[in-house]
Each structure stands twice: as C-alpha cells, then as structure tokens.
C-alpha cells in the first residue's frame, strides 16, 4: 500500500483491535476461515485512511456485530468526504448506504441512478432473464380493466404514475384495494388497526401454485414489511386459463406516519425451480397511517410502560 514496515507496525494495534480475531492474528492466514480473512482485510484497508475504498461483497461474511462495526466505519468515511465503491447484491445495504447505484448486466453499464430505481431495474432484469415467455412487457402506464367493470377498487386511490409494472402476463393483477374491518374500501389508515389488502387476479394461462405477495417500501426503496403465500405456508393450487380469483391479505398496520409504497406481485416457479414473474406492480400506491402517538423508527411497538416506586 506504499507504507513502510515501520509505518504499518504503528498501525498494527489498530488493525488487530478492529479485526478482533483474538489469538488467530498470529496464525498463518491460510488456516483462516473466510470470515476471519475478511475481518483482517477490512481492518487493514481502513487503517491506511484511503481516499477511495472499494468493497466487493466483503461484508457478506462475518457475524452481524462485525458487519455493524464495518457499516459504522463506512458512515464515518462518507461523512469525511471519502469515496466508497460498494459492490454487492445485498439490495438493502445498497439502498441504506449508497447515494448512487451503477447497474451492470453482463459487464455492460445499464444505468447510473438513485439506488431505489436501480434495484427495481435490477429485479426486472432478473425476472426477464428467468422468463421463457415471448410475451412483451406491459407498459407501466397501461391500465388493466377489471373483469367486473362495475367494481373497480383501485379507482378510489391516486395511483403512482411512475410505478414499475412488468411480467409475462400469464396472470394479471386486474384490481386491488385496502378494506377496513367493516369490509369497506379504506382510503385513510389508522395506526395499529387491521386491514385486508385484496388483489383481483385473472389467469390468461394455466398456472400451478402461483405465489401472491405484498410489500411495503419506504421512499428510498428499503423493504419495511411484506409477505407472500409461500412464507405464510399457503398452498394456492392450480388456476385454469380464464380463471379469476381474489386474494386476501389480512394484516395489522403498525407503521409510523411515514409514507410507504405498496407493491403487489404474482409469481411462480417453473419446472427447473426458476422464479417466473407473471405480474408485478411496484410502488403502485402510497399509504400513510395516522395516530396520536409518535415513536421512533418505522413501527409502533405498542409498548406498555410501568414504573415501580
């Protein structure tokens, strides 16, 4: 790194302390686990106060406490104006720590944009690469007409005109809405109340065991909460061509009064175990809860506090 042996020996205590691998610091590196190797490599890299720090998937190993320590150091570097090139498939970390994201596909730069936009584009590329269908992607601005034109739940909302909509359209999410405990379409949302998110889905081809999903993301694109029928251990069965179904997600809304974007999805696995996207509506609807109490973070912990005297 251009430092003399004497200079590196002066930095050694700092490196050893940050790596925190105990007595193994005096053992040959060839016997290190991948986690120990990364600990020592990262500790050495940051000890020389680089102008540019390049991290290539290095933080994917190691325990959670070491990762936290590394991310704190990354934040220190950012605040001091240093350049960090963070190479990773960890979408949450990219959203949380990066100001820009460069998306590569087969070595070619696809985009240089905000992390949230790049990650949505990345997911779309993954979906297209796993799809064997020749069906063109639906334009994001195209509106799908519900099978029952007399009932259009989504017309009650101001939808996101810049949502990301794609899939091979073997199935289509025709309509959606959020319903309160009285089964009335809700447009305002009380914190810690229960609501049912409904999706009306039409199948243009026969699909076995489709996966239905909902996700809430913040403005940066970080996934705050979500679930799907696999995670809920729901067997969805087979839907024949022309079938239409309504999927219900009954859930509590414990969110703070931060704006959140709702995403909806319908996917499935093919015979080779590859995920196929039938239809996704990313960031289609912005919601915000209301409540008298404001606490920290994204969720209301619904805490009960008592003090003994």
């Amino acid at each position: 790194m251009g430092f003399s042996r004497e200079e590196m020996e002066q930095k050694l205590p700092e490196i050893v302390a940050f790596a925190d691998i105990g007595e193994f610091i005096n053992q040959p590196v060839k016997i290190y686990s991948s986690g120990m190797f990364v600990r020592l490599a990262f500790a050495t890299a940051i000890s020389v106060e680089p102008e540019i720090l390049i991290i290539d998937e290095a933080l994917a190993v190691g325990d959670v406490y070491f990762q936290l320590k590394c991310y704190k150091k990354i934040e220190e570097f950012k605040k001091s104006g240093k350049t960090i090139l963070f190479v990773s498939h960890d979408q949450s970390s990219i959203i949380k720590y990066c100001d820009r994201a460069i998306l590569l596909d087969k070595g070619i730069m696809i985009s240089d944009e905000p992390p949230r936009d790049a990650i949505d584009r990345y997911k779309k590329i993954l979906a297209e690469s796993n799809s064997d269908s020749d069906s063109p992607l639906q334009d994001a601005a195209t509106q799908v007409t519900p099978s029952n034109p007399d009932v259009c739940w989504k017309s009650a909302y101001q939808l996101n005109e810049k949502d990301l909509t794609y899939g091979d359209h073997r199935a289509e999410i025709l309509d959606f809405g959020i319903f309160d405990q009285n089964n009335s379409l809700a447009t305002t949302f009380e914190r810690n109340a229960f609501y049912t998110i409904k999706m009306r889905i039409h199948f243009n081809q026969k699909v076995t065991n489709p996966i239905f999903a909902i996700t809430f993301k913040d403005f940066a694109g970080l996934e705050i909460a979500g679930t799907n029928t696999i995670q809920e251990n729901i067997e969805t069965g087979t839907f024949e061509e022309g079938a239409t179904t309504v999927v219900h997600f009954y859930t509590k809304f414990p969110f703070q009064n931060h704006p959140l974007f709702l995403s909806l999805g319908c996917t499935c696995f093919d015979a080779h175990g590859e995920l196929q996207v039938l239809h996704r509506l990313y960031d289609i609807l912005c919601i915000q809860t209301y409540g008298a109490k404001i606490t920290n973070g994204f969720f209301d912990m619904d805490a009960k506090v008592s003090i003994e005297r």
Side-chain angles (χ1 to χ4, degrees):
M1 296 183 179
F3 289 84
S4 67
R5 184 178 185 85
E6 290 76 17
E7 288 173 316
M8 287 307 298
E9 285 178 347
Q10 291 176 3
K11 297 178 180 294
L12 188 58
E14 176 188 349
I15 295 172
V16 171
F18 194 96
D20 193 22
I21 57 177
E23 62 185 16
F24 289 98
I25 193 71
N26 294 314
Q27 298 297 322
V29 174
K30 65 182 179 181
I31 71 166
Y32 282 14
S33 67
S34 58
M36 288 190 292
F37 187 89
V38 166
R39 281 171 173 263
L40 184 57
F42 188 85
T44 304
I46 63 173
S47 72
V48 298
E49 294 294 323
E51 290 290 328
I52 301 174
L53 178 64
I54 302 176
I55 307 170
D56 188 354
E57 296 286 10
L59 303 185
V61 296
D63 63 71
V64 65
Y65 297 109
F66 180 74
Q67 291 181 27
L68 179 61
K69 185 162 61 171
C70 292
Y71 284 126
K72 285 183 177 178
K73 180 60 71 171
I74 288 174
E75 287 293 338
E76 290 178 16
F77 274 34
K78 285 180 64 177
K79 290 178 181 178
S80 65
K82 297 181 182 296
T83 298
I84 303 169
L85 182 59
F86 185 70
V87 185
S88 180
H89 292 89
D90 184 350
Q91 299 163 34
S92 296
S93 294
I94 290 173
I95 288 173
K96 188 172 182 179
Y97 296 105
C98 298
D99 301 314
R100 292 165 49 205
I102 295 173
L103 177 63
L104 303 178
D105 185 24
K106 298 180 177 64
I108 299 174
M109 188 178 81
I110 302 300
S111 67
D112 180 351
E113 57 192 339
R116 172 189 176 139
D117 298 332
I119 284 174
D120 282 346
R121 198 182 305 274
Y122 167 69
K123 289 180 178 179
K124 182 177 178 181
I125 289 174
L126 286 183
E128 291 173 352
S129 67
N130 287 335
S131 176
D132 295 326
S133 173
D134 295 327
S135 300
L137 296 176
Q138 180 185 10
D139 184 86
T142 302
Q143 295 296 317
V144 181
T145 303
S147 58
N148 181 356
D150 296 326
V151 180
C152 185
W153 304 326
K154 64 185 179 182
S155 63
Y157 304 101
Q158 182 178 355
L159 304 182
N160 180 14
E161 295 179 354
K162 296 183 179 179
D163 70 309
L164 182 63
T165 302
Y166 62 93
D168 62 24
H169 286 266
R170 282 178 284 162
E172 294 180 305
I173 302 171
L174 300 179
D175 201 7
F176 53 87
I178 304 175
F179 295 79
D180 62 19
Q181 296 275 52
N182 298 318
N183 201 32
S184 298
L185 196 61
T187 55
T188 58
F189 310 101
E190 182 181 357
R191 186 176 310 123
N192 287 327
F194 284 84
Y195 295 91
T196 301
I197 300 171
K198 298 182 183 181
M199 287 189 289
R200 181 183 287 118
I201 300 164
H202 180 77
F203 291 86
N204 297 316
Q205 295 181 27
K206 179 179 178 179
V207 177
T208 300
N209 292 325
I211 305 164
F212 306 112
I214 59 171
T215 305
F216 289 97
K217 296 189 289 185
D218 66 5
F219 269 118
L222 184 66
E223 293 188 356
I224 304 303
T227 189
N228 61 53
T229 47
I230 284 186
Q231 293 171 333
E232 300 295 336
N233 295 316
I234 302 295
E235 287 285 341
T236 56
T238 299
F239 292 86
E240 300 293 337
E241 179 180 344
T244 299
T245 188
V246 177
V247 182
H248 299 231
F249 287 90
Y250 180 69
T251 182
K252 186 178 182 179
F253 276 24
F255 312 118
Q256 292 286 45
N257 62 338
H258 306 295
L260 296 176
F261 287 97
L262 173 64
S263 298
L264 308 170
C266 179
T267 60
C268 70
F269 288 104
D270 64 15
H272 305 289
E274 296 289 343
L275 184 68
Q276 304 290 307
V277 176
L278 309 182
H279 198 194
R280 273 180 179 160
L281 301 177
Y282 268 169
D283 305 334
I284 189 64
L285 177 64
C286 183
I287 73 156
Q288 191 166 355
T289 62
Y290 66 90
K293 184 176 70 171
I294 302 296
T295 56
N296 298 327
F298 288 106
F299 297 95
D300 183 354
M301 297 175 65
D302 199 19
K304 303 295 186 290
V305 182
S306 62
I307 301 174
E308 294 186 10
R309 296 188 184 277

